[in-house]
Amino acid sequence: MFTEIFRLELQRRLCRVSTWLYTILFMLFSYCLVWGSLAGRGLLHRFYKAGSEAIYANAPYAIHMLLLTLTALSSLVAIAIFSRAANRDFISGTQELIYSRQITKTGYLAGRYLAATAAWCIVIVPMAFTALVAAKFPPTHPEKAGPSNLWHFLLPLMISVFPLILRSGLLYFSVSILFRKRAAATLVLLVQFTLYMAALSLIKTRMITLAALIDPFGIIASQMSWLSWTLHQKNSLLVGPSPLILLNHAIWTLTGVISAGLAWKRFSFREPASQQRRPVNFPDTSFKVDLDSKAETDIKIKLHSHTKTSPVTSSINQALHLTWSTFKSLIRSGPFLAVASTGFLFMLLVGYRNVGLAYDTRTLPLTSMVLDLTQNLFMVFIFILSAWLAAELVWRERNHGVHELTGSTAISTLNMVLGKLGALILVQTSLMILVMITGIIIQISQGYTQLELPVYITELFILRLPIFIQLAVMAFLIHSLVKNKLVGHLLVATFY
């Protein structure tokens, strides 16, 4: 039965037009990036210095980083592939029919997972051959292209790309199985990008080994392998399986295996416990009167007059109520608590160690220095959380299938939009307050009591907060106009 499940899932994925559109898109990405490095611009030239000075545009290390970076970017596509594979039967309503067949739990889950993994490989592998074509037949500046062969493109696939696909796919699939929601896989990707941004911040504080290990994509570990090479080595040597790369693979593969074990243990061929209806115990509303024959009972009925309010006041009250209720639901949600707590602990640990450190000399933790460090560390968290929450708020009714019911209520569209946007602004404000509290804790813990609260307020709430409000408005506009959530995420990231 494993073979039938695998074949059916892969066939369904290959019949979708989006799979081939994603494949063509990443093929164009790889070709254009190699072309750009030949012309002295683009991602490879800017971040990895390919095509500059005496370094070939198609140097082996540059091709390695190109394929690995594009694979990490394709995780936006992968969460749709794996979450769909995990929840396909529940989405189509055929779970009872499928589960009634003689099929084992291992065969069912392995078939779905491996088919989704094969589909991700189909999206990724062709871009290596387009990069090879661009390197073999450079469309411009052929003098910047060095000798290359097929092994320069196959080795990065085996060392970095395929391990990343296997372990990240295992995480996306396992979480989707556990929670039966696509948002769960999106949250995993959010945590991955957050850890990657945190790793980039750790590099600035010279914690290179820790940065390479917490990077879930392995980009920093691969970069550390060739960073100290000479020009000749960069043009000729291949990036091999260094100890840092292998240790990064081991840590994140173990994470994926643990999540897969939890998914296998909790999975059952029935409706998940989180979606089962629980019996509702209604309170006893029977009316009982025990009257004493000797007592006199007075029943008084008071009619409360209804105060009429103007339509403007009613609309304002409705918008404020929607804003507050949406804000409370957001700050109690798992993604907000996970990202906010992770960012707080990360700021606290890294900030306490590095604030007031200038050129290896310990100085006073001035408010300006604390703000520079905490903002650089936490602004990425705020951006990612704002963009993700904006998408979830816009798509919330459509994801639950109640958009038509919501549209038929007495709540106006303007109040609905203002309520959601106001709730997101309150979330951003609360995150700014968290940054200020973290900075104050760092200063007090180091014995510095001149807190300069006006500086905190000016920098965080007057200068920084309006930027994130603009981002929230733009994210709302993009997701309202675009009919695909993933495309909306890509456009918001491009805008940022």
Side-chain angles (χ1 to χ4, degrees), residues 265-279:
K265 184 177 181 180
R266 296 190 60 183
F267 178 80
S268 61
F269 291 110
R270 66 173 186 270
E271 187 178 10
S274 60
Q275 297 181 4
Q276 290 180 356
R277 295 183 178 180
R278 298 179 179 178

Side-chain angles (χ1 to χ4, degrees), residues 69-184:
T69 304
L70 288 181
T71 304
L73 182 63
S74 69
S75 298
L76 291 169
V77 177
I79 58 174
I81 295 176
F82 283 94
S83 61
R84 184 77 179 182
N87 302 318
R88 182 181 298 278
D89 298 327
F90 285 92
I91 294 174
S92 59
T94 60
Q95 70 274 15
E96 296 181 359
L97 178 62
I98 297 294
Y99 294 170
S100 62
R101 304 289 298 273
Q102 293 183 353
I103 180 174
T104 62
K105 182 193 301 188
T106 304
Y108 177 82
L109 295 178
R112 296 288 193 192
Y113 164 70
L114 292 178
T117 303
W120 193 5
C121 291
I122 291 173
V123 173
I124 292 301
V125 171
M127 72 181 183
F129 295 98
T130 54
L132 175 62
V133 171
K136 278 289 188 179
F137 308 100
T140 181
H141 300 285
E143 70 278 0
K144 290 187 177 181
S148 60
N149 54 59
L150 186 61
W151 188 244
H152 292 174
F153 299 84
L154 293 180
L155 188 62
L157 293 176
M158 293 186 292
I159 291 179
S160 297
V161 173
F162 288 152
L164 175 59
I165 290 176
L166 291 172
R167 65 176 186 256
S168 294
L170 204 56
L171 279 172
Y172 303 150
F173 185 79
S174 302
V175 172
S176 299
I177 286 291
L178 285 171
F179 297 98
R180 296 293 186 193
K181 294 181 180 179
R182 183 176 176 177

Side-chain angles (χ1 to χ4, degrees), residues 284-455:
D284 185 10
T285 58
S286 58
F287 183 71
K288 298 179 181 180
V289 179
D290 186 13
L291 297 178
D292 189 359
S293 58
K294 297 181 180 181
E296 295 182 356
T297 304
D298 294 334
I299 302 176
K300 297 180 180 180
I301 302 176
K302 296 182 179 180
L303 299 177
H304 297 276
S305 61
H306 177 69
T307 304
K308 294 183 178 180
T309 58
S310 63
V312 177
T313 304
S314 177
S315 179
I316 293 175
N317 292 334
Q318 187 182 73
L320 292 176
H321 176 74
L322 286 173
T323 300
W324 183 247
S325 60
T326 306
F327 170 69
K328 289 192 295 184
S329 66
L330 288 178
I331 62 175
R332 294 172 182 174
S333 62
F336 176 82
L337 295 176
V339 175
S341 59
T342 302
F344 172 74
L345 293 175
F346 182 74
M347 280 194 305
L348 198 61
L349 295 176
V350 178
Y352 179 80
R353 177 173 178 176
N354 296 280
V355 72
L357 188 64
Y359 301 102
D360 296 329
T361 302
R362 180 65 63 180
T363 60
L364 293 176
L366 302 177
T367 303
S368 58
M369 300 177 66
V370 173
L371 280 173
D372 288 339
L373 183 61
T374 53
Q375 286 183 101
N376 292 333
L377 294 175
F378 200 67
M379 289 304 114
V380 176
F381 289 83
I382 298 179
F383 161 71
I384 294 176
L385 193 59
S386 299
W388 189 80
L389 288 179
E392 292 301 314
L393 288 174
V394 172
W395 287 85
R396 181 170 60 180
E397 288 80 12
R398 280 176 281 184
N399 288 338
H400 292 84
V402 295
H403 54 285
E404 296 181 355
L405 180 62
T406 305
S408 63
T409 59
I411 303 175
S412 64
T413 304
L414 179 61
N415 284 343
M416 185 71 70
V417 173
L418 291 178
K420 293 181 178 181
L421 187 59
L424 184 56
I425 293 174
L426 288 179
V427 169
Q428 293 173 338
T429 306
S430 63
L431 291 175
M432 290 296 180
I433 295 174
L434 181 63
V435 173
M436 183 175 67
I437 293 174
T438 306
I440 292 174
I441 292 175
I442 292 174
Q443 287 182 299
I444 295 178
S445 63
Q446 296 190 8
Y448 188 79
T449 56
Q450 298 181 9
L451 302 179
E452 298 178 301
L453 292 180
V455 178

